[in-house]
Amino acid sequence: MSSASTDLNAIELEIARNRLTSISEEVGMALIRTSYSPNIKDRRDCSAGIYGPDGRLISQAEHIPLHLGLMPTMIANVIAEYGVENLNPGDVLMTNNPYVGGSHLPDMCVITPIFVDDEVVALIATMAHHVDIGGMTPGSMDAAATEIFQEGIRVPPIKLFSGGEIQRETLAFLLMNIRTADKTRGDLMAQVAANRLGERRVLELIEEWGTQEFTSSCDALVAYGERRTRAAISSLPNGTGTFTDYLEHNGVEQVDIPITATVTVSGEEITIDLTEAADQVKGAVNCSYAVAQACAAYVVKMLADPTLPSNAGLTAPIDVRTRPGSLVHAEFPAPVAHGNTQTSQRIVDTILGAFEEFTEHLVPAASSGSMSIVTIGGVDTRTGDYYSYVETYGGGQGAAFDMNGASATHTHMTNTRNTPCEVIEREYPLRVEAYEISRGTGGKGKTSGGDGILRHLTLTHGSATVVAGTSRVTTKPWGLQGGEPGSNAQIQKHTDEETTALPAMSKFDVEAGHGVSIQTAGGGGYGSPH
């Protein structure tokens, strides 16, 4: 780097962007390779990034859009609440509080401040979905929870490490409230270790560049991200569109829950108004306002320019408006476990529908509309230990104007892999009866929607509690411009005597020999199939 100014030339910007992105990617890979649970090491349900001392996003790995979009809000709020002046070298913070901008309780955020000469110059943060965080159901994802206390232990911003020393009493208190304490401890320590690696890499960079040059480069990258985003937005048509879509289940009962988005593009700025969304509901499909912000940023990047830098500059021209106490801006003590898995996907559908009102050939048809989560947990009678199987399933991608939708894939706010069948049968008392693409479930069109997935699991030992949550069971992913909708999702409980179709959000117990199957929805088609 040749200058301490934020006016870096194009080559210097690319060097800085790639150096910082490579650190974020390395942190994420270290977390994946050292974690204990299949949910992180196989499914990669985690994210990593570099932040400024105030929580401003500088760089992130291309992991899960939901995590990555809400972490800047969460980290900024955590640092403001805890106070940067109360941090010391060797400290590590952790929190999972959705009301400060988190997602749901299993998503634990671990934050490590980086010091140079007793001053915080940056933060390294990772977020990972832990397979249990307590609460009334194994896996901590009970759809029928009616208050946050039923979903698990809520951790305020506290120190996991202080001055380089682990806070053993804090950790012991946390693990005593968690069924899978060994997995959770291992995954937490993997987050801490990954953050330490990121700290070393950033300090190596600062040793090479100097503190002032590092800070100036971060400022330049954010300014560059904002310039790029504003230019991309200005290429979109000016206009306003309003669209309403519905969730079909509140976690407790089947009921239509409207989400309305009004999108306005004016010059190089976008306003996304979600204030007309329904009030927060009884069950666990509420979400924090940071989730809504993450969805908005994702859609803008998706439609305006997918190559836009993922830093604080991306969100600067986007004004996201939510109403406190609503489904998309839940307030204490609303349960939020499935705000991630269900509501975030419907927010995306709603914003896309609003864009479709004033654009042409830009918006794709609706995808499967859910992260389609299944958790199965209990005590493994072979070992006497608690276990918790957690997995989200892909579905059909909505077709675009010039492209068929992909089949059996994660879309929009999720970006995890699947758990291999061999890993499921090795780690849990489960047998995989079927795992296949549900052929013909995508909507037909000039371009066709992708097909969903079918997975059928059988419990082999003991008894267990199952939570299965999906969407588009009573509705279908919509097609566009004459394209046909995708097929419905299905959940079924299997016993020796019968197979029973279940609602979109279901919880039930199974015995050995019984099981569950889930078929995810296909994507909508685009254009008339004729």
Side-chain angles (χ1 to χ4, degrees):
M1 298 295 169
S2 60
S3 169
S5 167
T6 58
D7 297 326
L8 274 61
N9 63 42
I11 294 174
E12 291 170 331
L13 275 170
E14 277 299 287
I15 291 171
R17 183 179 68 82
N18 282 281
R19 290 290 293 272
L20 289 165
T21 300
S22 69
I23 293 173
S24 299
E25 295 284 357
E26 189 178 5
V27 170
M29 188 53 62
L31 171 55
I32 289 164
R33 291 172 65 90
T34 57
S35 60
Y36 277 45
S37 69
N39 197 50
I40 301 173
K41 67 184 178 184
D42 291 299
R43 290 191 59 245
R44 304 190 175 193
D45 196 346
C46 59
S47 300
I50 303 171
Y51 300 81
D54 58 354
R56 181 180 61 160
L57 176 62
I58 305 301
S59 172
Q60 59 185 201
E62 294 295 336
H63 289 150
I64 299 175
L66 186 84
H67 288 175
L68 298 172
L70 64 83
M71 285 173 69
T73 300
M74 183 180 200
I75 292 167
N77 288 342
V78 166
I79 295 303
E81 178 179 320
Y82 197 89
V84 71
E85 69 279 3
N86 296 318
L87 296 174
N88 298 295
D91 288 352
V92 177
L93 296 177
M94 67 175 177
T95 184
N96 66 348
N97 187 0
Y99 307 120
V100 298
S103 51
H104 55 187
L105 299 188
D107 281 343
M108 187 69 73
C109 188
V110 174
I111 306 166
T112 301
I114 302 174
F115 282 81
V116 174
D117 297 329
D118 296 324
E119 181 180 354
V120 177
V121 296
L123 307 166
I124 297 286
T126 52
M127 179 173 279
H129 184 117
H130 293 262
V131 294
D132 192 88
I133 200 72
M136 64 182 184
T137 302
S140 310
M141 291 292 296
D142 196 324
T146 57
E147 58 180 359
I148 193 71
F149 304 106
Q150 297 168 330
E151 296 188 324
I153 186 166
R154 186 159 49 107
V155 181
I158 57 174
K159 288 183 180 180
L160 178 58
F161 280 73
S162 180
E165 296 294 325
I166 190 169
Q167 301 301 284
R168 298 188 183 279
E169 292 181 350
T170 299
L171 184 60
F173 177 81
L174 176 66
L175 297 181
M176 183 171 284
N177 290 279
I178 293 172
R179 296 173 181 86
T180 55
D182 57 335
K183 290 286 194 294
T184 299
R185 189 185 195 284
D187 288 345
L188 270 177
M189 293 304 105
Q191 286 184 261
V192 172
N195 284 13
R196 284 177 175 166
L197 173 61
E199 179 185 14
R200 292 201 303 272
R201 294 291 185 259
V202 169
L203 289 175
E204 290 168 0
L205 200 59
I206 291 173
E207 184 177 1
E208 180 181 339
W209 290 356
T211 303
Q212 184 178 3
E213 194 65 52
F214 172 79
T215 301
S216 297
S217 296
C218 292
D219 292 341
L221 284 171
V222 172
Y224 168 68
E226 182 172 349
R227 290 196 305 272
R228 285 277 311 276
T229 303
R230 290 185 178 276
I233 292 173
S234 67
S235 69
L236 296 173
N238 286 336
T240 298
T242 299
F243 187 81
T244 299
D245 209 334
Y246 297 85
L247 281 179
E248 65 196 75
H249 205 289
N250 68 10
V252 177
E253 59 187 348
Q254 186 170 300
V255 59
D256 288 340
I257 310 167
I259 302 174
T260 298
T262 298
V263 172
T264 301
V265 177
S266 177
E268 56 184 27
E269 295 185 343
I270 288 179
T271 300
I272 297 176
D273 190 329
L274 297 167
T275 56
E276 293 184 37
D279 292 342
Q280 63 190 47
V281 297
K282 186 176 182 180
V285 296
N286 304 289
C287 67
S288 75
Y289 67 95
V291 170
Q293 292 173 330
C295 296
Y298 163 79
V299 172
V300 171
K301 182 171 179 175
M302 169 191 173
L303 297 182
D305 181 357
T307 69
L308 290 174
S310 293
N311 61 40
L314 172 67
T315 56
I318 307 171
D319 179 15
V320 182
R321 300 175 184 176
T322 56
R323 175 172 54 84
S326 68
L327 181 77
V328 301
H329 188 149
E331 294 186 308
F332 176 84
V336 297
H338 290 269
N340 285 19
T341 62
Q342 312 304 329
T343 310
S344 71
Q345 301 289 62
R346 192 62 71 254
I347 293 171
V348 169
D349 287 344
T350 303
I351 297 173
L352 287 174
F355 268 104
E356 172 67 12
E357 294 291 305
F358 63 96
T359 61
E360 186 176 0
H361 299 161
L362 181 65
V363 172
S367 295
S368 58
S370 172
M371 298 184 192
S372 296
I373 189 166
V374 174
T375 66
I376 304 175
V379 175
D380 189 336
T381 55
R382 299 170 299 178
T383 63
D385 296 328
Y386 272 100
Y387 67 93
S388 179
Y389 162 76
V390 179
E391 183 163 11
T392 56
Y393 298 107
Q397 182 184 44
F401 167 71
D402 56 355
M403 183 179 71
N404 293 328
S407 296
T409 188
H410 286 285
T411 55
H412 297 324
M413 301 309 292
T414 178
N415 188 33
T416 57
R417 295 188 176 189
N418 65 174
T419 307
C421 298
E422 298 83 356
V423 172
I424 293 173
E425 295 182 348
R426 182 193 69 207
E427 293 279 339
Y428 312 107
L430 297 171
R431 183 172 62 248
V432 181
E433 305 286 3
Y435 186 42
E436 60 193 49
I437 296 175
S438 299
R439 301 294 181 185
T441 54
K444 291 182 172 55
K446 182 176 179 291
T447 53
S448 297
D451 294 329
I453 282 176
L454 170 67
R455 178 168 258 170
H456 180 176
L457 297 165
T458 297
L459 186 69
T460 58
H461 298 84
S463 59
T465 299
V466 179
V467 174
T470 187
S471 193
R472 300 302 192 186
V473 172
T474 60
T475 63
K476 295 182 177 182
W478 35 264
L480 284 178
Q481 303 299 319
E484 295 179 359
S487 295
N488 302 94
Q490 299 177 37
I491 298 174
Q492 294 180 326
K493 176 183 177 181
H494 302 276
T495 67
D496 296 333
E497 294 79 24
E498 60 181 352
T499 295
T500 306
L502 299 174
M505 306 291 283
S506 295
K507 172 187 171 182
F508 53 94
D509 294 330
V510 292
E511 303 295 330
H514 300 173
V516 58
S517 64
I518 181 170
Q519 176 187 295
T520 60
Y526 197 109
S528 172
H530 308 297

